[in-house]
Amino acid sequence: MERKRGDGTMTFEIPLVDALSIQADCMYLSDLRYLDKWQRVRLARILEQLPADPASLEE
C-alpha cells in the first residue's frame, strides 16, 4: 500500500517480514530460516532500530 505524505513524498507500507527478507536479500520469505548467525544478528540490529509504532500488533 502506498501513502502520500504531507511533504509530497510517497512511502510504501509492506509487512515487516517482507521488509526483513528484502534486507536479508532473500528471494523467498521461507529463505529467512536459512540465514547464518551473522545475518540474523544484522537483522536483529535492524529490528532494534525500528520504532514500534509502524508495525501492527499482528506482526
Side-chain angles (χ1 to χ4, degrees):
M1 175 186 345
E2 80 182 53
R3 185 187 326 178
K4 197 158 200 162
R5 299 172 71 183
D7 61 2
T9 61
M10 282 201 247
T11 59
F12 293 90
E13 295 178 7
I14 61 174
L16 180 60
V17 70
D18 290 332
L20 291 175
S21 68
I22 291 168
Q23 287 289 324
D25 200 27
C26 292
M27 183 167 289
Y28 302 103
L29 290 177
S30 58
D31 291 344
L32 285 171
R33 65 182 166 175
Y34 300 118
L35 297 179
D36 63 28
K37 178 182 176 181
W38 302 113
Q39 289 171 311
R40 289 175 190 231
V41 168
R42 182 175 162 268
L43 283 183
R45 289 188 179 148
I46 291 170
L47 277 173
E48 288 172 350
Q49 295 174 4
L50 291 177
D53 54 329
S56 70
L57 292 176
E58 292 176 358
E59 295 183 278

